[in-house]
Amino acid sequence: MIRDPEHEKMSRKQLEKLQLERLQARVKDVYEKVPFYRRVFKGKGVTPDDIKTMADLKKLPFTSKIDFRDNYPYGLMTVPLEKVVRIHSSSGTTGKPIIAPYTEADVDMWSEVMARTLASAGMTRHDVMQNAYGYGLFTGGLGFHYGCERLGATVIPTGGGNTKRQILLMQDLGTTVITCTPTYALILNETAKEMGVDLRETKLRLGIHGAEPWSEQMRKDIEERIGISAINVYGLTEVIGPGVSVECEHKNGMHIWEDHFLVEIINPATGEQLPYGQEGELVITTLTKEAQPVIRFRTRDITKLIPETCKCGRTMVRMARITGRSDDMLVVRGVNVFPSQIENVLLEVEGVEPHYLIVVDRHDAFSTEDLEIWVEVSEAVFSDEMQKMEKLEKKLRAEMDSVLGISARIKLVEPRTIARTEGKARRVVDRKDLKNSGLITK
Ligand code: DLL
């Protein structure tokens, strides 16, 4: 269902007019109120008056996670703290966390884009949504929660974890929609099976999954095992949380809510803007966020934009599945490798489970000489004879060689060796951290 046809089906001309007005207002706002922006604008010799058309966007400086760290905690806000009604945060990988403050108007806008998101995914007010995204500082829990209430559907705020209780509630309360990371969807299914419950026989019909990279193969797996339609949803703390983009029933790229989020794709090495269809780093400018707008924020997420109007009738540009992050790309003996490529191979080979770990011996921040992939095999194969295991290992090695262009060692491990997480899965670990990483169970 299209919740807001006036915006979701806008013509490009109308949309660009709206975007330009909103961009000009935002740029003026940050320039006048945030010393950091004034400084970096001046560094590039640009003032708000220089933004006359959409093509002028590229005159503005980029921002990145580092700017959030340098201005931690409140240095990027355009409003005094008393106008802030909520603060979320993401842990980040190193150093200070990222802070995301919201005014009342921001929470309202977020609820609205999330309601649009859920409607696009196929939810209606008759659904019962079990929300297994983490509540708390993470934006997933409350983002989905407010969106569901705004849509008028029923939310069960389970949060992540306590998996057995999740299954019981699902059965008792007639849950029709599950919202969680794709990894957690598989864990729910594993636990249900252990409890003798077949999720395909429950009322579950839809899963809305995101917050971490996943693949088409993983979607197929979730859909078949759980008996649902699985929809991809994208977002990030710095921009708003979930609700930046989502697929519709055609599952052909995620519709970006462009009246709120202005997107570009750039070459991550040069910063140059790339045309529609070309893969590169996604850059987002918030057009309506009040407390802490972002200007040309470099997400580090690698994707491409799909401009054609979708069969659903929405005109807004779509983004393809994220294929990797420009900062978690591994460089193995000079070759670029993304964890998503490895995942794709694993999901296509019979006898292995979609649980894996990439163990590297790092020389510096990115580059590594040695790649070892730990792969969990299914119960059936594990209890089989040695010969079968050897054959499987050989097959995986050959597939990896041909897809990645480099050779990797494959280590087959028994079922449940790799720790399950309720939130985002971590796939790459340095060998020296492996023991204390909590990523393996034995
Ligand atoms: O993960 C917000 C969110 C919550 C999105 C629930 C979807 C569902 P952060 O913790 O700041 O925010 O992490 C943002 O996660 O830059 C991507 O690298 C990754 N990510 C999010 N959604 C997807 C997705 C939330 N659908 C970072 N596919 C982003 C691939 C995703 N990666």
Side-chain angles (χ1 to χ4, degrees), residues 133 138-139 210-213 232-237 301 322 325 424:
Y133 282 112
F138 180 51
T139 53
E212 63 181 8
N232 197 4
V233 60
Y234 171 84
L236 61 164
T237 311
D301 292 323
I322 306 282
R325 284 182 58 83
K424 295 169 191 268

Side-chain angles (χ1 to χ4, degrees), residues 46-115:
V46 54
T47 68
D49 292 337
D50 293 319
I51 307 303
K52 296 198 170 68
T53 69
M54 290 303 274
D56 295 327
L57 178 65
K58 54 178 180 294
K59 294 182 180 161
L60 295 171
F62 290 117
T63 54
S64 73
K65 255 193 196 334
I66 294 167
D67 301 318
F68 277 76
R69 302 243 153 88
D70 291 349
N71 294 286
Y72 178 84
Y74 296 138
L76 294 178
M77 280 185 358
T78 63
V79 296
L81 193 54
E82 63 258 31
K83 282 202 76 185
V84 170
V85 299
R86 196 195 303 166
I87 296 175
H88 281 283
S89 165
S90 82
S91 55
T93 40
T94 49
K96 297 271 189 219
I98 301 286
I99 293 294
Y102 302 74
T103 61
E104 206 177 328
D106 290 337
V107 171
D108 187 64
M109 179 273 277
W110 190 18
S111 307
E112 190 50 40
V113 289
M114 275 310 296

Side-chain angles (χ1 to χ4, degrees), residues 192-411:
K193 259 172 62 188
E194 281 165 17
M195 293 164 69
V197 176
D198 185 347
L199 290 181
R200 288 173 298 192
E201 284 164 11
T202 64
K203 285 195 175 155
L204 265 190
R205 62 173 193 88
L206 183 65
I208 310 175
H209 308 300
E212 63 181 8
W214 55 313
S215 60
E216 265 326 298
Q217 277 301 322
M218 178 99 126
R219 174 180 354 237
K220 244 180 74 195
D221 232 59
I222 291 175
E223 292 190 332
E224 280 169 18
R225 292 183 189 201
I226 309 185
I228 56 175
S229 173
I231 294 283
N232 197 4
V233 60
Y234 171 84
L236 61 164
T237 311
E238 294 87 340
V239 168
I240 187 86
V244 172
S245 66
V246 67
E247 291 174 329
C248 64
E249 71 270 23
H250 298 290
K251 300 181 188 168
N252 193 10
M254 295 180 275
H255 293 275
I256 301 170
W257 306 129
E258 285 185 283
D259 47 339
H260 298 283
F261 310 109
L262 179 61
V263 292
E264 307 163 71
I265 296 288
I266 61 160
N267 174 333
T270 63
E272 166 210 5
Q273 269 182 354
L274 297 175
Y276 283 150
Q278 228 163 301
E279 188 160 87
E281 182 180 329
L282 179 69
V283 172
I284 305 180
T285 300
T286 57
L287 295 174
T288 51
K289 207 168 65 162
E290 225 177 40
Q292 188 173 268
V294 288
I295 304 289
R296 299 195 89 195
F297 179 73
R298 293 189 57 162
T299 64
R300 303 288 166 192
D301 292 323
I302 306 290
T303 181
K304 62 180 177 196
L305 298 179
I306 310 165
E308 295 81 24
T309 297
C310 180
K311 273 190 249 160
C312 69
R314 292 182 179 84
T315 49
M316 293 189 179
V317 138
R318 283 165 286 156
M319 57 187 262
R321 202 176 264 292
I322 306 282
T323 54
R325 284 182 58 83
S326 59
D327 55 2
D328 78 11
M329 183 178 78
L330 293 164
V331 184
V332 188
R333 298 187 289 274
V335 179
N336 298 352
V337 175
F338 287 108
S340 56
Q341 293 173 295
I342 295 175
E343 180 177 310
N344 274 333
V345 172
L346 295 181
L347 286 162
E348 269 163 31
V349 173
E350 189 82 23
V352 300
E353 290 292 311
H355 300 290
Y356 66 96
L357 202 56
I358 301 165
V359 182
V360 296
D361 295 285
R362 264 193 231 277
H363 294 273
D364 56 52
F366 294 112
S367 105
T368 172
E369 292 299 303
D370 191 63
L371 190 63
E372 184 173 272
I373 307 169
W374 288 32
V375 184
E376 225 175 81
V377 292
S378 62
E379 290 283 357
V381 172
F382 195 75
S383 50
D384 247 318
E385 72 266 40
M386 228 20 219
Q387 229 185 355
K388 252 202 180 149
M389 295 270 283
E390 276 169 19
K391 233 173 107 190
L392 184 61
E393 188 191 317
K394 232 170 118 187
K395 182 164 181 202
L396 279 170
R397 200 159 6 108
E399 289 278 321
M400 291 290 175
D401 276 11
S402 83
V403 172
L404 307 180
I406 42 151
S407 56
R409 267 181 293 136
I410 304 289
K411 179 170 166 155

Side-chain angles (χ1 to χ4, degrees), residues 417-436:
T417 303
I418 295 165
R420 308 294 193 250
T421 55
E422 289 152 20
K424 295 169 191 268
R426 219 177 105 203
R427 308 291 197 191
V428 183
V429 61
D430 215 305
R431 189 181 304 278
K432 63 178 185 317
D433 304 328
L434 183 60
K435 266 220 166 85
N436 299 320

